[in-house]
Amino acid sequence: LDLDPLRPRALCEIRFLGAESATGPLILLLNKGIGKWSEERLPRENLEAILDVKFPTSESSKTTDYDMECGICYSYRLPVVEKKSSSHGLELSQDDQTEGEMPDRMCDNGKCGRPYHRACLVEWLRAIPNTQQSFNTLFGKCPYCQSP
């Protein structure tokens, strides 16, 4: 969810992560029921009503239940890398105070669904000789299940 901090209950940008076989029906439900969105309800309550699901609450689950580690680097968040200038040009350094990128790419195979960081997947696919590239898009197989 991409919420507007000035209007947190307003209709927001919603993006589903996961295999298309799992996210496709949710996207259809969302598109069909988007007219039911009410600024009188919380975004969570709106999504529960539109998608006809009940989301877990902080009382019913632990945060670690939903952490998805990358299938390549086995990290949940990548370290933040900042560019700092020096007399020799640009240097890369890690800042442990800030949280890094979470896995945002998933295998489209419904039986696999492994999450990956975009950077890890790009590096992995570029190392494979039979990976196809068209402009800025790489086409390859899932590192786990070998699905295209």
Side-chain angles (χ1 to χ4, degrees), residues 77-96:
R77 289 193 183 267
L78 289 177
V80 174
V81 178
E82 292 183 356
K83 294 180 181 178
K84 295 185 178 181
S85 52
S86 70
S87 59
H88 303 296
L90 294 176
E91 292 180 2
L92 299 178
S93 67
Q94 293 185 7
D95 179 4
D96 294 332

Side-chain angles (χ1 to χ4, degrees), residues 6 21-22 29 46 51 64 83 97 125-127 142 145 147-148:
L6 300 176
S21 60
L29 281 173
N46 276 309
L51 301 176
T64 55
K83 294 180 181 178
Q97 304 300 324
L125 290 173
R126 284 193 174 150
C142 171
C145 71
S147 289

Side-chain angles (χ1 to χ4, degrees), residues 4-131:
D4 178 355
L6 300 176
R7 295 180 50 218
R9 292 180 180 229
L11 183 59
C12 57
E13 182 179 337
I14 301 167
R15 183 174 59 157
F16 293 99
L17 298 176
E20 190 174 329
S21 60
T23 60
L26 295 174
I27 292 170
L28 289 174
L29 281 173
L30 180 65
N31 290 336
K32 188 176 176 181
I34 203 71
K36 297 178 187 176
W37 192 277
S38 169
E39 290 193 18
E40 295 175 6
R41 295 186 297 212
L42 295 171
R44 176 188 49 81
E45 295 167 339
N46 276 309
L47 288 173
E48 286 177 340
I50 292 169
L51 301 176
D52 194 30
V53 296
K54 183 73 175 153
F55 291 115
T57 63
S58 57
E59 295 83 27
S60 70
S61 62
K62 295 179 262 177
T63 305
T64 55
D65 291 344
Y66 302 100
D67 286 353
M68 299 180 303
E69 63 185 22
C70 173
I72 295 171
C73 72
Y74 300 109
S75 296
Y76 177 59
R77 289 193 183 267
L78 289 177
V80 174
V81 178
E82 292 183 356
K83 294 180 181 178
K84 295 185 178 181
S85 52
S86 70
S87 59
H88 303 296
L90 294 176
E91 292 180 2
L92 299 178
S93 67
Q94 293 185 7
D95 179 4
D96 294 332
Q97 304 300 324
T98 312
E99 294 182 343
E101 177 186 339
M102 297 184 319
D104 62 348
R105 296 288 176 247
M106 304 263 194
C107 176
D108 284 334
N109 182 343
K111 293 181 180 178
C112 178
R114 274 285 210 221
Y116 302 101
H117 296 112
R118 177 191 306 251
C120 295
L121 195 55
V122 166
E123 187 175 337
W124 178 276
L125 290 173
R126 284 193 174 150
I128 306 295
N130 59 355
T131 297

Side-chain angles (χ1 to χ4, degrees), residues 133-138:
Q133 182 170 356
S134 175
F135 299 101
N136 289 333
T137 304
L138 295 171

